[in-house]
Structures are given as C-alpha cells and as structure tokens.
C-alpha cells in the first residue's frame, strides 16, 4: 500500500469497531488463508473460490465479515463529503434510489439521506454478524437454515455502498489517491458474490460498466 493510502486507510474513520476472528478458531484460519491468497497476488477470480474440503458457509461467513470491515472503512474515508445537504437521498445517480426497511422503526421502505441510510445499514449488519444464532463462532455449531438468505440481504445492501461511493463520491476517492484500493476491493466483492450467486444480476446493474 502506498504512503498516501496508508494515510487514508489508517485513519480511525470506520463507523464501527472491526469484527475480528479469534486466533485459533477455524474462521481465523480461513481468514488467514483468504488473506494469504490476496497478498500473494492470486487472481481474484481464483482467490474467491472455495478451498478444497472447506465448508461453504464458513467461507461465506468469513468473507461477509471481511467485506463489512473493508466497505465500512471505504465509506468512512469519504463520510465527511456525504452529508444531509450533499446527499439528501440514498441513491446511485438519478436512476437508482435505495430505501431503508427493517423490522423495528422502518417497517415500510423509507426514503432517507445517504448518511442516515449508511448509519442504519452499518448498525444493522453489525447486529447480524455478531448474532451467534446467525454467525456461530464455535466450530461444530451449525449455521441456521436462513443463513444464506441473511447473507444475500447483507451483501446486496453493502453493494449499494459501492454504488453510492462510485457514482457520487469517486472524485474524493481519486483526490485521496485511493482509487486502486477501492477498485480492487470492489472486484474482489464482485467476483465473490457472482461465484456463489449471492446477489441477483439485476441488483448489480448500476455498476455493470465498471
């Protein structure tokens, strides 16, 4: 990572503390394996493939947490430019508007500003990935039957962060010299979700030209 990138991505700008894997656990070993593939410069299309004899749900869980941490960090670096005034609607250009819905306060899809949407999104994902019933950390504890359903919702919502950043704030990313990092992160994310069919093709349309 170049010096400008170190300055940008070492800042304490994430919305939430990183979710980390406990050393000695199977997830920690999988996380190390995934990181080693990336650090070795392995083709991203190959790096996302399920390692031999590994459980797919474990592999997916590790990547969901990692993508949450990375995307949270990317958004944190441009959050000063994403305000109620600059981004009164969570969107990806004039064609795509994203509304928020959850099981508590916003039971119907609701138009929100981008920063408010992002705050709710990061809060919501943090609750999901720290829920032992959805993302069990103990080896041998089975994943719930709706695990992939929850994962697909998390990833489709994280994708919207990429959409918003690319379409509304990429000038800021370029200004910071961070475009190569963000592009690599997006490619990694894209190859992963397409490898395991975790986001509908239609959802990916806003960034189809990237």
């Amino acid at each position: 990572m170049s010096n400008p990138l170190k300055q940008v991505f070492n800042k304490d700008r994430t919305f939430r503390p990183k979710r980390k894997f406990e050393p000695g656990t199977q997830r920690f070993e999988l996380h190390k394996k995934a990181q080693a593939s990336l650090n070795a410069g392995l083709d991203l299309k190959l790096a996302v493939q399920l390692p031999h004899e590994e459980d797919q749900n474990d592999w997916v869980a590790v990547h969901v947490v990692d993508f949450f941490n990375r995307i949270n960090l990317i958004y944190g670096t441009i959050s000063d430019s994403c305000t109620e005034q600059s981004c009164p609607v969570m969107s990806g250009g004039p064609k795509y508007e994203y509304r928020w819905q959850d099981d508590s306060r916003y039971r119907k899809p609701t138009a929100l500003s981008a920063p408010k949407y992002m705050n709710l999104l990061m809060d919501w994902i943090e609750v999901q990935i720290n829920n032992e019933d959805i993302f069990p950390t103990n080896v041998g504890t089975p994943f719930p039957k709706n695990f992939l359903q929850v994962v697909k919702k998390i990833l489709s919502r994280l994708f919207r962060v990429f959409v918003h950043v690319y379409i509304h704030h990429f000038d800021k990313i370029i200004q910071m010299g961070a475009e190569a990092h963000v592009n690599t992160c997006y490619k990694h994310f894209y190859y992963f979700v397409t490898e395991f069919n975790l986001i509908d093709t239609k959802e990916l349309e806003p960034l189809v030209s990237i």
Side-chain angles (χ1 to χ4, degrees), residues 1-201:
M1 196 178 277
S2 67
N3 286 335
L5 279 185
K6 280 184 179 177
Q7 291 171 14
V8 170
F9 289 101
N10 282 352
K11 289 180 181 178
D12 184 20
R13 296 287 292 281
T14 56
F15 279 178
R16 309 285 176 265
K18 277 189 168 188
R19 166 75 191 271
K20 296 180 180 178
F21 302 100
E22 291 298 320
T25 64
Q26 185 180 11
R27 300 277 163 72
F28 182 77
E29 295 306 317
L30 273 179
H31 178 68
K32 283 204 306 184
K33 187 179 290 188
Q35 291 306 304
S37 296
L38 293 176
N39 294 337
L42 190 66
D43 184 296
L44 288 172
K45 284 184 180 178
L46 297 175
V48 299
Q49 293 176 2
L50 181 67
H52 185 57
E53 294 185 349
E54 296 293 355
D55 177 74
Q56 181 173 315
N57 283 344
D58 275 319
W59 187 241
V60 168
V62 163
H63 280 79
V64 169
V65 173
D66 192 46
F67 287 134
F68 168 67
N69 288 335
R70 289 169 183 266
I71 295 168
N72 187 16
L73 180 56
I74 288 171
Y75 181 71
T77 64
I78 60 90
S79 59
D80 287 350
S81 303
C82 186
T83 65
E84 300 279 338
Q85 291 71 39
S86 67
C87 305
V89 175
M90 173 58 182
S91 62
K95 193 175 177 183
Y96 301 97
E97 179 182 329
Y98 300 118
R99 300 190 170 201
W100 181 258
Q101 184 176 17
D102 55 34
D103 295 327
S104 53
R105 185 175 174 186
Y106 300 97
R107 292 183 177 273
K108 292 182 180 179
T110 305
L112 299 172
S113 68
K116 190 163 188 177
Y117 184 103
M118 297 295 186
N119 268 299
L120 287 168
L121 173 59
M122 299 305 175
D123 275 344
W124 176 79
I125 295 176
E126 189 178 25
V127 169
Q128 308 307 308
I129 64 177
N130 285 300
N131 184 339
E132 286 283 333
D133 292 333
I134 301 173
F135 282 76
T137 54
N138 293 326
V139 176
T141 302
F143 286 87
K145 290 181 179 178
N146 68 334
F147 174 68
L148 285 181
Q149 182 183 336
V150 173
V151 160
K152 287 177 180 180
K153 194 168 187 179
I154 290 173
L155 293 173
S156 67
R157 286 180 164 182
L158 280 175
F159 173 74
R160 296 171 182 182
V161 181
F162 277 121
V163 175
H164 186 74
V165 168
Y166 268 112
I167 293 175
H168 295 280
H169 300 289
F170 205 64
D171 55 339
K172 176 81 170 179
I173 295 291
I174 292 171
Q175 182 186 332
M176 293 187 296
E179 65 269 29
H181 176 92
V182 175
N183 287 340
T184 299
C185 185
Y186 175 66
K187 283 181 183 176
H188 186 199
F189 179 90
Y190 175 82
Y191 288 140
F192 187 81
V193 298
T194 52
E195 171 74 15
F196 297 101
N197 298 310
L198 296 172
I199 298 183
D200 290 340
T201 305

